[in-house]
Amino acid sequence: MSQIEKISGVKVFGGWQNQYQHESSSLNCSMKFSVYLPPAYEQQQPVGVLYWLSGLTCTDENFVTKAGAQRIASELGIILVIPDTSPRGDEVPNDDAYDLGQGAGFYLNATQPPWDKHYHMYDYIVNELPSLIKTNFNVRDKAAIAGHSMGGHGALVIGLANQMHYTSVSAFAPIVNPCECDWGKKAFSHYLGDDQSAWQQYDACHLMQQQQGILTIPMLVDQGLADNFYESQKLTKPLEEMCKQVGYPAQFAYHEGYDHSYFFISSFIEQHLRFHHRYLTA
């Protein structure tokens, strides 16, 4: 499990943007992931890590090339770890639609065939990938986690359910109530079956309600108001309403004119990295 192979590397802002591959035991396939190592990494002191989870149709390369995160990560001394969004390969089940199958893993553990052999992205993100990172890189014990859209859903669910592992969680335009939106209903019914009670463990709104009183992880969420999916997929707002209901002091910000794209992410990624740095270094 600890064997990784470096595929590529390029120097940027004094650090190194690398890509690796390995054989995943959680996903039963070969996986790629990207890591940005800031200049501080060469000082041989444990460095804080931010895991970034991307959205539908993305690979590990979208955030690397479009978010512009390396400049601030270099300044703050944060390692960025960017996994793929699903298992990949000829043997991995797929679908012609963009919102199911490869590129659409939804960061859950599938229980229904044919998806159940490979689609265990929850275990991969929570257990296998952090183990690889800790084995192969000099990092601190706790990490931060963030994501966009489907990846925002993954970051929120994983952060809320595993608070002992993460210092903080943030999201851009996240799917916060997948049990009640079209993207989530389609994915969950295929991956998890028709028993909707099994869906709730992967729904940030349900987790927030279930864990009220024991939530301590700091949370930041940004949402563009020109996002085509804001209303149709019920992004962000239901979670803000649930936070108010349970008295959880998460930070929400809404931005006029911004859409669902990486132009939005790149506009506010600095604030998210500084937010996480505050807790990674506390």
Side-chain angles (χ1 to χ4, degrees):
M1 287 181 58
S2 62
Q3 297 300 312
I4 63 174
E5 176 188 354
K6 183 178 175 181
I7 302 172
S8 64
V10 61
K11 194 163 189 176
V12 55
F13 292 108
W16 286 93
Q17 183 63 66
N18 298 333
Q19 188 181 48
Y20 302 88
Q21 66 181 9
H22 73 107
E23 293 299 319
S24 169
S25 59
S26 300
L27 306 176
N28 292 304
C29 65
S30 178
M31 289 294 287
K32 295 179 180 178
F33 63 92
S34 293
V35 177
Y36 177 67
L37 299 173
Y41 183 74
E42 297 180 359
Q43 299 174 8
Q44 298 184 342
Q45 295 294 325
V47 178
V49 177
L50 171 67
Y51 288 90
W52 173 269
L53 307 185
S54 296
L56 287 167
T57 76
C58 290
T59 69
D60 60 304
E61 297 180 348
N62 296 76
F63 180 81
V64 168
T65 58
K66 295 180 179 180
Q70 293 92 343
R71 179 178 64 85
I72 303 303
S74 172
E75 174 195 331
L76 299 176
I78 296 174
I79 292 177
L80 304 175
V81 177
I82 308 100
D84 203 345
T85 54
S86 77
R88 304 276 180 176
D90 293 340
E91 302 300 316
V92 175
N94 199 11
D95 190 88
D96 291 337
Y98 75 95
D99 54 355
L100 185 69
Q102 296 187 34
F106 272 84
Y107 304 100
L108 50 72
N109 290 334
T111 59
Q112 303 300 303
W115 314 101
D116 55 340
K117 181 179 178 181
H118 297 281
Y119 283 76
H120 297 148
M121 286 298 295
Y122 185 94
D123 282 350
Y124 181 71
I125 300 300
V126 173
N127 299 312
E128 184 176 3
L129 185 58
S131 178
L132 280 175
I133 297 300
K134 290 175 182 177
T135 299
N136 290 279
F137 301 94
N138 188 16
V139 300
R140 294 176 184 166
D141 287 337
K142 282 194 174 182
I145 191 166
H148 169 235
S149 193
M150 178 187 72
H153 142 76
L156 291 169
V157 166
I158 288 171
L160 288 171
N162 301 274
Q163 293 184 75
M164 71 294 295
H165 297 322
Y166 301 100
T167 61
S168 47
V169 59
S170 74
F172 290 84
I175 303 169
V176 298
N177 196 192
C179 290
E180 301 297 335
C181 77
D182 290 343
W183 280 341
K185 289 178 181 178
K186 178 179 179 178
F188 286 6
S189 62
H190 281 81
Y191 295 141
L192 302 172
D194 295 331
D195 180 3
Q196 296 189 16
S197 64
W199 301 5
Q200 295 182 4
Q201 63 185 309
Y202 301 114
D203 186 301
C205 286
H206 281 281
L207 285 174
M208 181 71 68
Q209 187 175 40
Q210 292 166 5
Q211 298 189 29
Q212 57 182 301
I214 61 172
L215 290 170
T216 59
I217 188 170
M219 180 187 294
L220 171 66
V221 180
D222 278 88
Q223 175 68 53
L225 292 176
D227 188 326
N228 290 337
F229 305 111
Y230 176 46
E231 297 289 346
S232 65
Q233 301 298 333
K234 301 181 180 180
L235 306 181
T236 302
K237 199 65 178 179
L239 184 65
E240 182 184 23
E241 293 171 355
M242 182 59 68
C243 286
K244 291 178 181 178
Q245 179 179 320
V246 303
Y248 183 65
Q251 301 176 46
F252 290 86
Y254 295 85
H255 307 277
E256 292 285 350
Y258 286 93
D259 62 12
H260 199 71
S261 73
Y262 268 87
F263 292 110
F264 170 49
I265 296 170
S266 64
S267 297
F268 298 98
I269 192 65
E270 178 172 351
Q271 288 92 318
H272 281 243
L273 290 178
R274 294 192 184 281
F275 168 79
H276 290 296
H277 180 257
R278 186 186 322 151
Y279 298 103
L280 283 167
T281 56

